[in-house]
Amino acid sequence: MEPAPVKRNASKSASEDIISRMPEDVIANILDRLPIHYAVRTSILSGNWRFKWTLLSNVVFDKEFYEYLKGLGGENRYDERNIISRLLFHLKGSITKFDLYIPYRKVLDVKDIDHWVMFLSKKGIKEFNFKNINIDIKVEPLKLSTHLFSCVKLQCLTLYNCSLYPAPTFCGFPNLLSLDLRHVAFKNGNFGKIITQCPLLELLKVSYTNLIGKVKVVEIAKLTNLKSLSIPLCQLDTVGISNFLVYNLVGHFSKLQELKLNLFTCKVFEIWIFEIFVFTLYCCSAHLFAFHMYISSKSKVASSFYMEVGVDKVKLS
């Protein structure tokens, strides 16, 4: 008797059923690991997968997304604003992460961005990354919606080249762990007030801050959970740099692991340079990096190198 033929089609069908019957959280986890344009393309796999992409919780419109659209048929063939809106507003569940990258010479309507931020504020967003590469000192930075301040579940916030107008009723980000700001303007000079309302903050990175205004040392000193601090000292409300300033800045940070100080345009009193490094290392075990330091003593810089303190872009005169 001849053996019965193997039903390969049935095996293939069973395999397909296993994939289609995976729990939604597993499917969402798989889709979140794909570039968003590939995640959306899974809709053509079968009828069961047509709307699976709406389970996405990580929404990333990065440089690769723009390159993908450009490769489809030219830079001006597709309207990124409409595509982002259509994809974003179709998502069903909570959104954990949102990345928005605006390439150089690409202009997005502020009203569209406001609608996106308002939508995200109702989705329990935990990580918000806004990177606007269009930097023009003659043009006021793009104004972000005040709805951003109602995202109380935020844990990570990254903002490049924008301006913020916090609402008077803003009570802080109680869950924020990481804050990365570059070319960010806070109207009414209330940046210091904002960071003091982030009690869990572990990473604070501020750069290119000519628009932010002065920050009081006592405001930064309240961030007792800081593990990494990077800030230009020219933005601090102080007349110069001394070991007393360093004490006020890092003396109470028992958890600090890394300290980066940008000394550009700051008054550095030469007699205190060596004491600053020694005192900082004594106050905490953090790695200290000083940027754009202008001093006259080569021997003191050599001493700081010997103490394994990173000194970058040092100019000796």
Side-chain angles (χ1 to χ4, degrees), residues 103-105 107 132-142 160-162 182-183 210-211:
Y104 181 63
R105 293 184 177 178
V107 179
N132 180 16
I133 309 302
N134 286 302
I135 299 178
D136 189 344
I137 60 175
K138 298 180 181 179
V139 179
E140 186 173 347
L142 189 149
Y160 288 6
N161 192 30
C162 62
R182 182 179 301 180
H183 278 295
N210 56 309
L211 298 174

Side-chain angles (χ1 to χ4, degrees), residues 242-259:
S242 67
N243 53 6
F244 179 74
L245 169 63
V246 173
Y247 175 78
N248 283 331
L249 189 60
V250 302
H252 302 289
F253 293 153
S254 60
K255 300 179 182 179
L256 197 66
Q257 299 174 3
E258 183 178 69
L259 175 63

Side-chain angles (χ1 to χ4, degrees), residues 233-303:
L233 292 190
C234 61
Q235 295 304 135
L236 295 179
D237 188 13
T238 182
V239 295
I241 304 172
S242 67
N243 53 6
F244 179 74
L245 169 63
V246 173
Y247 175 78
N248 283 331
L249 189 60
V250 302
H252 302 289
F253 293 153
S254 60
K255 300 179 182 179
L256 197 66
Q257 299 174 3
E258 183 178 69
L259 175 63
K260 294 184 179 181
L261 304 178
N262 189 329
L263 308 182
F264 184 66
T265 72
C266 290
K267 294 180 180 179
V268 182
F269 302 122
E270 179 184 341
I271 192 173
W272 286 337
I273 290 294
F274 183 74
E275 287 85 349
I276 288 175
F277 286 122
V278 174
F279 195 79
T280 303
L281 292 178
Y282 176 78
C283 290
C284 62
S285 59
H287 296 286
L288 174 63
F289 299 87
F291 298 85
H292 294 96
M293 182 186 300
Y294 294 85
I295 56 180
S296 59
S297 175
K298 296 183 180 181
S299 60
K300 291 171 183 176
V301 174
S303 298

Side-chain angles (χ1 to χ4, degrees), residues 10 19 26 47 51 54 57 77 96 112 141 153 177 183 185 207 218 226 247 265:
I19 297 176
V26 176
F51 297 107
T54 61
S57 60
R77 181 177 177 181
T96 304
D112 288 325
K153 292 185 178 181
L177 301 175
H183 278 295
S207 55
V218 293
L226 273 185
Y247 175 78
T265 72

Side-chain angles (χ1 to χ4, degrees), residues 35 37 66 73 85 101 109 114 139 205 214 250 273 282 289 297:
H37 43 280
Y66 287 93
S85 293
Y101 174 86
D109 195 318
D114 287 347
V139 179
K205 182 178 180 181
K214 296 295 182 180
V250 302
I273 290 294
Y282 176 78
F289 299 87
S297 175

Side-chain angles (χ1 to χ4, degrees), residues 92-111:
K92 297 190 301 184
S94 61
I95 299 177
T96 304
K97 176 182 178 180
F98 179 78
D99 284 16
L100 179 60
Y101 174 86
I102 303 180
Y104 181 63
R105 293 184 177 178
K106 180 68 64 176
V107 179
L108 297 182
D109 195 318
V110 176
K111 293 182 180 179

Side-chain angles (χ1 to χ4, degrees), residues 29-45:
N29 187 276
I30 295 173
L31 294 176
D32 282 337
R33 298 172 185 271
L34 299 174
I36 190 167
H37 43 280
Y38 290 139
V40 174
R41 288 177 63 182
T42 60
S43 61
I44 66 175
L45 293 177

